[in-house]
Amino acid sequence: MRVRGAMTAAVAGAALMMVAGCGDSDAGDEKPFAGKSADEIAADAVKATQEADSMHMKGTVRQSGSSGAAVTVDLSVDQRKNCDGTISNGGASADVRHTNATLYLRGDEKYWRNALKGQPGGGKVVPKVADKWVKTPADDSMTQGLCDKQGLVSSMDENKSERKGMKKGATTTVNGTEAIRLTKKKAGGETLTLYVATEGKPYILRTTSTGGKEPSTATFSDYGKPVHPQEPAAGETVDLKELAASAQKA
């Protein structure tokens, strides 16, 4: 039975939006990156983001190859795979926590009906898991990678062609932090924009995609802030595998 649902796709989608760039340098206020190409700035940003102990990701993305429904992510994650936050899609939502090698999901009824649709015994399981913390072992193949920061960040560097031809623009601010814009216009009218912090370490602060078939945005913050998810009380949790096995025998 698969329980990854919309969350895995949303997290992966947000990670893939973190494009880095190279290419021409436009005039603009680009401190402290004066003299650096967009490629060098982006390389610095990717490296800093990869090395950050933790980060918070928030935004609305759209899943390629799916119905295109908006997926909202609000998630803190660290290098040790601790994570805490929420995911929502099409009116369905779920809280997520990962701590002590266990993933906990607390989805509403609609979330679980979507996640368990078509699964044997799924209809019988939904009432037993809706609005409760459902636990799954961290090494379970169905949920592997949900809270893996390194895996999330590494996906930024998979498609080299996405990072060619970007240009530097003027500085702006993202949630009060100064950032330089890196932009790229793609075929079909889509514009990709990457915002890199000019203060402190050159972290990626925001990515956007506008003008295309799948507009999306994601904001990144709280770099280095500890992530301490609270483990739900035993009386508040249920084991999805045990429930699924019971439902199939019934």
Side-chain angles (χ1 to χ4, degrees), residues 22-244:
C22 64
D24 298 333
S25 174
D26 286 349
D29 182 10
E30 54 190 42
K31 64 178 184 178
F33 300 120
K36 286 193 173 184
S37 67
D39 178 52
E40 292 170 322
I41 297 171
D44 289 346
V46 171
K47 184 174 185 293
T49 301
Q50 289 175 330
E51 293 178 349
D53 186 64
S54 62
M55 67 181 186
H56 183 84
M57 175 174 58
K58 183 177 182 178
T60 301
V61 299
R62 293 184 181 276
Q63 302 173 16
S64 297
S66 71
S67 63
V71 178
T72 301
V73 177
D74 192 342
L75 183 72
S76 294
V77 62
D78 68 14
Q79 300 280 37
R80 290 166 294 283
K81 299 185 180 180
N82 293 308
C83 73
D84 192 2
T86 61
I87 180 73
S88 59
N89 182 12
S93 63
D95 298 321
V96 57
R97 295 179 187 174
H98 184 280
T99 183
N100 295 328
T102 302
L103 177 73
Y104 298 89
L105 285 173
R106 184 173 61 186
D108 57 18
E109 181 176 345
K110 187 172 183 178
Y111 175 88
W112 286 112
R113 288 199 180 280
N114 291 343
L116 302 178
K117 186 177 181 179
Q119 300 296 331
K124 297 179 181 180
V125 171
V126 170
K128 299 179 180 180
V129 295
D131 299 317
K132 298 177 181 178
W133 285 106
V134 178
K135 64 179 181 179
T136 305
D139 59 355
D140 191 296
S141 61
M142 296 181 294
T143 56
Q144 198 169 29
L146 284 182
C147 293
D148 185 353
K149 176 185 176 291
Q150 283 303 89
L152 176 66
V153 176
S154 67
S155 66
M156 293 188 299
D157 208 33
E158 290 177 349
N159 189 347
K160 304 295 184 183
S161 66
E162 287 292 319
R163 299 186 298 279
K164 295 186 180 294
M166 296 190 77
K167 297 182 179 181
K168 291 187 289 186
T171 57
T172 184
T173 58
V174 177
N175 290 336
T177 300
E178 187 178 89
I180 187 173
R181 291 186 184 95
L182 302 179
T183 62
K184 175 181 178 179
K185 292 186 180 295
K186 300 180 65 177
E190 182 182 7
T191 298
L192 302 178
T193 305
L194 175 71
Y195 298 81
V196 179
T198 64
E199 304 170 358
K201 294 185 178 181
Y203 293 129
I204 296 170
L205 300 181
R206 179 172 291 161
T207 60
T208 65
S209 173
T210 59
K213 294 181 179 179
E214 298 176 346
S216 54
T217 183
T219 300
F220 306 88
S221 62
D222 291 344
Y223 283 100
K225 184 176 181 179
V227 180
H228 296 305
Q230 182 177 359
E231 184 174 355
E236 299 176 356
T237 65
V238 294
D239 191 308
L240 181 59
K241 284 190 172 183
E242 293 179 2
L243 290 176

